[in-house]
Amino acid sequence: MSFETLSQIDKAQIIDTLLEHQFFKMPDGRQLYEATEEELRLLICSQLEQGNDYTFL
């Protein structure tokens, strides 16, 4: 059995996960694919810090 950590997940997987959770754009209005991998990771982390009950990844 193997577990993936956030550092092992690529940009496409992050975008797929965000789309599944109804995130279609970055907070500044850009498309998800226009953001860097780091920006996408920060978006997920900010949602978790805000206490949203999303199960990411």
Side-chain angles (χ1 to χ4, degrees):
M1 178 187 314
S2 67
F3 295 96
E4 289 184 329
T5 64
L6 196 54
S7 63
Q8 294 171 317
I9 298 171
D10 68 8
K11 184 176 179 177
Q13 290 174 305
I14 295 171
I15 290 173
D16 286 343
T17 300
L18 288 167
L19 291 172
E20 289 173 11
H21 289 89
Q22 307 301 311
F23 286 89
F24 301 108
K25 290 191 175 192
M26 293 297 291
D28 62 6
R30 290 180 292 151
Q31 299 294 323
L32 295 176
Y33 70 87
E34 296 177 300
T36 65
E37 190 171 332
E38 180 64 23
E39 289 173 312
L40 295 170
R41 291 176 194 277
L42 290 173
L43 177 59
I44 289 175
C45 291
S46 71
Q47 292 303 310
L48 292 173
E49 286 176 0
Q50 290 176 11
N52 293 329
D53 290 336
Y54 301 117
T55 304
F56 286 105
L57 312 175

